[in-house]
Amino acid sequence: MDDIRKTIQAFGCSKFAPMEDFDEGKVIIQFEYRGRMVQVSASAKGYAAAWLRQNPHTPRMRKTRIEHERAALAKGQVAVWSILRDWIKGQLTAIETGILSFEAAFLGQILLPTGETIHERISTQGLLPAPYDQQKER
C-alpha cells in the first residue's frame, strides 16, 4: 500500500484511498489523477483460485485441503497489492511517456458521478460484445 501511495504521488495524483473488502476478498484503490477519479480493484480470491489451479492439493501434502486453500488465499491477499502496484505504475508511466492517453489507460476504471466505474456501467447496459467463446458458439 505504501508503494502504491508513493508511486501515485510521484506521478502527481492528488488523492489516494485504499480499501479492503474482507467478505469479497478484494482490494480497492481509489485515486485522483489530474481531476479524474479512478477506482481499481483486484480479487485475492481470484488470485487464490488461479494459484490453486497451478498448485492443486494432493493427498501427499502435509496440509489438509482446507489449510491448503487458506494458504492460497493468504498468498492472494499479499499478491493483489503487488499486482495493483505494478499495474498502476505501468499505466501511469505509459501516460507520462505518451504511449497512452489517460482515457486509454484507465477508461474502464474512471469513476462516474454515480460511484460506478465506466466498465460497470457499460456492462450492466449490455454494451460490451459477447466474449469470444460465446461468439464462436453462435
Side-chain angles (χ1 to χ4, degrees):
M1 180 172 36
D2 287 336
D3 286 346
I4 295 170
R5 177 185 292 113
K6 289 175 189 174
T7 298
I8 65 170
Q9 280 182 313
F11 282 97
C13 296
S14 56
K15 296 178 182 172
F16 173 68
M19 183 177 80
E20 288 187 69
D21 182 336
F22 300 118
D23 292 338
E24 293 293 319
K26 286 185 180 180
V27 170
I28 301 163
I29 303 290
Q30 285 187 354
F31 62 92
E32 185 175 87
Y33 180 79
R34 298 185 180 167
R36 297 258 180 103
M37 288 301 295
V38 174
Q39 178 174 296
V40 182
S41 64
S43 170
K45 288 181 180 180
Y47 183 93
W51 188 87
L52 286 168
R53 282 192 296 277
Q54 295 297 315
N55 302 279
H57 182 266
T58 66
R60 297 186 331 190
M61 292 181 168
R62 292 185 179 179
K63 294 179 183 177
T64 66
R65 178 176 301 279
I66 299 289
E67 291 169 334
H68 187 64
E69 289 171 357
R70 284 186 187 138
L73 184 57
K75 288 177 186 296
Q77 288 168 333
V78 172
V80 293
W81 288 102
S82 296
I83 292 165
L84 287 175
R85 177 199 63 215
D86 294 345
W87 186 77
I88 291 168
K89 183 176 184 178
Q91 296 301 85
L92 291 172
T93 301
I95 293 166
E96 292 294 318
T97 58
I99 294 171
L100 293 173
S101 68
F102 173 84
E103 291 77 12
F106 289 111
L107 182 63
Q109 294 78 30
I110 295 173
L111 274 177
L112 298 169
T114 60
E116 62 188 337
T117 63
I118 290 177
H119 180 262
E120 290 167 341
R121 171 75 62 86
I122 64 174
S123 293
T124 59
Q125 292 183 351
L127 297 174
L128 292 173
Y132 183 73
D133 299 4
Q134 293 174 6
Q135 290 177 6
K136 288 183 1 184
E137 294 173 3
R138 291 181 185 168

